[in-house]
Amino acid sequence: MTKKSQDIRVESTTRIWGITVGILAVCIPLSAVTRSGALLPLAALGGATAGTIAIWRTDEKKSPAGALQPQQLELLEQRIANLETIVSHEEFDLQMKIKQLETSDRNHHSVS
């Protein structure tokens, strides 16, 4: 596990429990008024616990967000090789030179 993924987990857990403390501060007095007993505080604690477990039990073998799978990487490498072949091909170079000449010829005639 990388340090960055560890930091994300700690930061997320801190946020979850920080919000839960705020919820408890509101729902404990509210549960007395609504006569719901410990239902609201227990629901808040249960939600925070489930969230924390979900964060820390993620499969560590999964690749991090944004990382490419080996097949995706191989496909991209093949596509780059194909593009390099197309761009470096003499015919493509000749076509580019022709277009440049046409553009400069058009610009030269429009200025005159």
Side-chain angles (χ1 to χ4, degrees):
M1 178 181 351
T2 65
K3 184 173 176 125
K4 186 175 183 178
S5 65
Q6 179 73 21
D7 292 344
I8 291 170
R9 289 178 179 185
V10 170
E11 183 179 330
S12 298
T13 303
T14 302
R15 284 186 181 180
I16 287 172
W17 286 97
I19 291 169
T20 302
V21 168
I23 291 171
L24 289 173
V26 171
C27 74
I28 289 174
L30 189 61
S31 65
V33 172
T34 60
R35 296 185 179 147
S36 62
L39 183 64
L40 292 175
L42 288 176
L45 291 172
T49 303
T52 302
I53 291 170
I55 288 170
W56 286 92
R57 291 196 67 183
T58 57
D59 185 6
E60 293 179 8
K61 293 180 182 176
K62 288 183 182 176
S63 60
L68 295 175
Q69 299 295 323
Q71 296 116 347
Q72 292 172 317
L73 186 59
E74 185 177 330
L75 179 63
L76 284 174
E77 288 173 346
Q78 288 173 355
R79 293 177 81 180
I80 290 171
N82 289 340
L83 287 172
E84 288 173 344
T85 302
I86 292 168
V87 170
S88 63
H89 196 271
E90 291 175 23
E91 191 175 291
F92 180 83
D93 189 38
L94 182 61
Q95 288 175 352
M96 290 300 294
K97 287 179 182 177
I98 292 170
K99 284 183 181 181
Q100 287 175 346
L101 287 172
E102 288 174 348
T103 304
S104 66
D105 191 40
R106 252 188 260 135
N107 291 338
H108 179 66
H109 285 291
S110 65
V111 172
S112 300

